[in-house]
């Protein structure tokens, strides 16, 4: 496939899981792909070698490093912000520094990366941020900080769509439900509880999320912006 031939794609957080599938998908579709990693150097190098993409070390908790990475990437056709994680446990027991770091990775980095990318993007530019169905529905305790970050992305996309639409750039949020990755393995202890909330009682696959990202990045999605796109087996329904 060559839908993204000659297109420049940057994936923030591409070394593992959903991000790695997004990297593979864009490479398969002909794009020139750069992705960032933080902790998983070996996985990043292996993925880069396998796919011909470029891996670069950038900690999404470091705002200025993220901005610099996006700036150095030049005029992008597609920015995907995937890097993110959750902190579990009673909100009353959590270290505020750890919570602030979560906010830097899950909220500050997507905002600053999106704005920086838009400075150089041309007409037809696409920004896609990986949120979560937990931005809409948080049915269990212990994940308020995570839900907060994913809801924040909704406001960001709605607002930036207004700023970027006149520049010919779209911005959308993809909201997965449970997806089988290191962060949420299908065979983990939460499986039965999570599937009890769902109409399709299985975890999604990273490739299914990557397919939605690819559609949003492609030519058929030029009228789609400021919107949330949930892929969750009806977890949030
Ligand atoms: P994984 O833990 O499997 O992978 C996380 C990816 O993000 C890795 O490539 C990791 O890179 C990168 N990352 C994390 N922190 C940083 C950082 N500080 N700087 C740079 N990169 C970073 O998670 P998933 O693939 O499951 O999740 C990906 C996204 O999807 C997240 O935003 C998550 O919130 C969201 N999501 C996931 C769901 C699921 O069920 N799996 C459901 C809903 C949303 P490295 O290892 O190199 O640090």
């Amino acid at each position: 496939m060559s839908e993204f031939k000659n297109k420049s794609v940057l994936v923030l957080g591409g070394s593992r899981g959903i991000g790695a599938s997004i990297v593979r998908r864009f490479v398969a579709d002909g794009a020139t792909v750069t992705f960032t990693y933080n902790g998983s150097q070996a996985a990043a190098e292996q993925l880069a070698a396998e796919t011909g993409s470029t891996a670069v070390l950038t900690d999404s908790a470091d705002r200025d490093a993220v901005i610099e990475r996006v700036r150095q990437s030049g005029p992008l056709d597609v920015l995907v912000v995937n890097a993110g994680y959750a902190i579990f446990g009673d909100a009353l027991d959590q270290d505020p520094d750890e919570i602030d770091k979560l906010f830097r990775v899950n909220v500050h980095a997507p905002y600053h990366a999106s704005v920086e990318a838009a400075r150089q993007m041309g007409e037809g530019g696409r920004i896609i941020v990986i949120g979560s169905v937990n931005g809409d529905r948080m049915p269990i305790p212990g994940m308020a900080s995570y839900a907060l970050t994913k809801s924040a992305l909704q406001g960001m996309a709605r607002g930036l769509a207004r700023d970027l639409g006149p520049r010919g750039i779209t911005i959308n949020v993809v909201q997965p439900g449970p997806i089988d990755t290191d962060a949420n393995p299908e065979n983990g202890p939460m499986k039965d509880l999570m599937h009890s909330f769902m109409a399709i009682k299985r975890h999604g696959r990273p490739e299914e999320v990557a397919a939605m990202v690819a559609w949003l990045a492609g030519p058929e999605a030029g009228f789609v912006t400021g919107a949330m796109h949930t892929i969750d087996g009806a977890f949030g329904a």
Side-chain angles (χ1 to χ4, degrees):
M1 286 170 81
S2 58
E3 188 171 358
F4 294 101
K5 195 166 164 30
N6 298 324
K7 301 282 188 192
S8 173
V9 177
L10 175 64
V11 179
L12 297 181
S15 54
R16 294 183 294 112
I18 293 169
S21 276
I22 293 168
V23 169
R24 288 181 195 284
R25 173 68 193 241
F26 278 113
V27 168
D29 286 356
T32 301
V33 181
T34 299
F35 69 90
T36 67
Y37 66 94
N38 185 41
S40 303
Q41 184 179 357
E45 287 174 354
Q46 191 181 334
L47 179 65
E50 259 176 49
T51 58
S53 56
T54 304
V56 288
L57 173 64
T58 307
D59 182 358
S60 280
D62 181 342
R63 182 197 65 194
D64 292 341
V66 169
I67 290 173
E68 192 53 31
R69 172 58 55 207
V70 174
R71 189 177 293 151
Q72 281 180 13
S73 297
L76 294 166
D77 295 292
V78 181
L79 170 72
V80 181
V81 187
N82 168 75
Y85 66 102
I87 295 177
F88 303 93
D90 190 333
L92 278 56
D93 294 335
Q94 287 168 349
D95 176 349
D97 287 338
E98 292 300 317
I99 299 297
D100 281 2
K101 182 179 172 195
L102 180 81
F103 294 166
R104 289 203 300 278
V105 173
N106 285 18
V107 179
H108 300 189
Y111 179 83
H112 292 295
S114 298
V115 170
E116 189 58 35
R119 291 187 209 284
Q120 297 188 69
M121 258 178 183
E123 173 86 26
R126 299 277 200 268
I127 300 171
I128 298 144
V129 182
I130 308 301
S132 167
V133 68
N134 292 140
D136 286 328
R137 184 182 191 212
M138 189 65 259
I140 56 173
M143 291 184 70
S145 56
Y146 180 72
L148 180 161
T149 67
K150 297 304 186 179
S151 297
L153 298 177
Q154 302 179 338
M156 180 187 89
R158 292 185 180 110
L160 284 180
R162 305 283 176 190
D163 294 293
L164 305 186
R167 296 176 163 96
I169 300 167
T170 67
I171 178 164
N172 288 282
V173 180
V174 167
Q175 301 195 141
I179 306 296
D180 186 17
T181 66
D182 295 342
N184 187 2
E186 171 134 35
N187 59 7
M190 302 284 281
K191 173 185 171 180
D192 289 340
L193 179 63
M194 280 187 280
H195 291 187
S196 75
F197 299 128
M198 298 162 73
I200 297 173
K201 296 189 182 297
R202 65 169 175 87
H203 275 42
R205 298 188 304 277
E207 299 76 22
E208 293 176 304
V209 180
M212 181 179 267
V213 170
W215 181 77
L216 286 167
E220 290 179 313
F223 192 53
V224 181
T225 194
M228 316 316 137
H229 308 273
T230 301
I231 170 166
D232 71 339
F235 182 103

